[in-house]
Every structure is written in structure tokens, then in C-alpha cells.
Amino acid sequence: MPVIAPVPAARPARIPNQREGAEDGVAAGTTVDHLTETYRAHYRSLLGLAALLLDDTASCEDVVQEAFIRVHSARKRVRDPEKTLAYLRQTVVNLSRSALRRRILGLKLLSKPMPDMASAEEGAYDQLERDSLIKAMKNLQRRQREVLVLRYFADMTEAQVAETLGISLGSVKAYGSRGIAALRLAMEAPA
């Protein structure tokens, strides 16, 4: 993928407080001028390195810019100016890895939609239907409601319902058929 590098700005003015040599036995570190020259000379190659690790140009540019910002912030610790490019390369690799880790984590955390998930309209319609069924169930006789709940919601056989309620098998059948007929009428009636 082609990567277009921005045209660097004019050479920045020298920072007056920047130490040039080793005044107290400690090296001054990488200068802003050296970092600017490194930017001009190696920006495209660092973009190419990021492009090998990442998949889109915008992320590559972000990573390289962040690498320059971080090395600029720590330029006093880069004692040997010849190692500036090595520090930049390592920073680009580390930032690219971090970007990939964030992407992978984001993909893992995304909730995957259920394939047979109903639309919002269908869900609202189902809720209305459920509400009207519950209302119709409450209007049934107590025994009819008990038989229907045990038979269809608790998934018991007619014999199990008869045993649970202490009534005959014939009574379970009668209460069940009358309850279903009453529910059918209540559900078909306009609200």
C-alpha cells in the first residue's frame, strides 16, 4: 500500500536551553535538530515498517507520529544520537503490537448478534401477545388455570397433572379442553 509522507516544516529554531555537550559528565542526549533530521530522512521507512505490521495507512501514520513524540519526549535518555533510529524502530514495532492487541481485544469483546434474533417490532408484538395471554389466563377458573399451567408450561403429562392436583384423569381432560376453549375466545376477542 502506498504511504504518502507529509512535507516536513522548515528547520525549527534552536532551543536555547538545550545542552550540547557533557557539562557534568552526563551526555546531553539527542538534540531536537538531530530528531528533525531523522524525521526527514527516515519517516517513509518507518511508515513502511508500520505498514508491514498494520493493515491501514491511518493507523501506520498514527503509530509513526506517536513514536516520534515518545522519542522526542525521552530524547535526553537517548545518549547516543546514532541510536535514535533504532529507538524509533523499536517504538514503532511496540506501538504496532499494542494497536493490534487493542483491535483483537475489541473484536473479542464485541457482542455477536444472535442469528435468529427477532427484530424490535417482533419483540414488541410478542410482548403484547404474552401480556394478553397472561391476562386471559388470570380470567380462567382456578382449576382450568392450574391444569393448563401444569400441562403446557410445566410440561407434565395428563396423568402427572391428575396426580399433582389430586383429581381424576377425566377431570384433567375436561378442565384442559374448557380452559383452552376459553383462552381461544379471549385471545381472538378484540381488545
Side-chain angles (χ1 to χ4, degrees):
M1 83 182 74
V3 178
I4 301 173
V7 177
R11 189 173 183 98
R14 191 111 174 122
I15 298 174
N17 291 336
Q18 194 170 18
R19 297 185 310 179
E20 288 297 321
E23 296 172 341
D24 52 355
V26 179
T30 302
T31 63
V32 173
D33 289 338
H34 178 71
L35 199 56
T36 303
E37 291 302 319
T38 305
Y39 178 84
R40 287 184 181 140
H42 298 286
Y43 181 81
R44 285 186 184 265
S45 67
L46 291 170
L47 276 177
L49 175 63
L52 292 172
L53 301 170
L54 298 172
D55 56 354
D56 63 303
T57 306
S59 295
C60 295
E61 290 172 349
D62 290 344
V63 162
V64 173
Q65 290 298 326
E66 181 65 23
F68 272 100
I69 289 169
R70 288 188 182 189
V71 171
H72 178 268
S73 298
R75 68 186 180 279
K76 298 280 187 212
R77 290 181 280 170
V78 182
R79 301 199 188 282
D80 185 4
E82 299 302 315
K83 293 185 179 179
T84 303
L85 183 58
Y87 282 116
L88 282 166
R89 285 184 182 135
Q90 188 61 48
T91 305
V92 166
V93 170
N94 290 340
L95 290 172
S96 297
R97 286 179 185 158
S98 295
L100 290 173
R101 273 194 298 273
R102 280 191 303 275
R103 285 184 195 172
I104 291 169
L105 183 63
L107 291 174
K108 285 181 183 177
L109 295 178
L110 283 177
S111 62
K112 297 199 169 61
M114 300 294 287
D116 297 332
M117 189 176 211
S119 68
E121 294 83 12
E122 290 175 17
Y125 182 73
D126 289 345
Q127 184 64 40
L128 287 173
E129 229 175 37
R130 244 186 322 272
D131 291 345
S132 61
L133 176 64
I134 290 170
K135 184 179 177 184
M137 288 288 287
K138 288 180 180 178
N139 291 331
L140 291 177
Q141 293 177 2
R142 180 181 58 87
R143 281 286 187 198
Q144 291 174 346
R145 185 173 50 249
E146 291 171 349
V147 167
L148 292 179
V149 167
L150 292 174
R151 179 78 176 100
Y152 297 104
F153 293 101
D155 203 25
M156 291 183 171
T157 64
E158 290 174 340
Q160 290 172 327
V161 172
E163 184 181 331
T164 302
L165 295 178
I167 57 177
S168 69
L169 186 61
S171 295
V172 169
K173 290 179 181 183
Y175 285 126
S177 68
R178 286 186 204 132
I180 289 176
L183 278 179
R184 188 173 289 127
L185 282 175
M187 296 296 286
E188 290 175 358

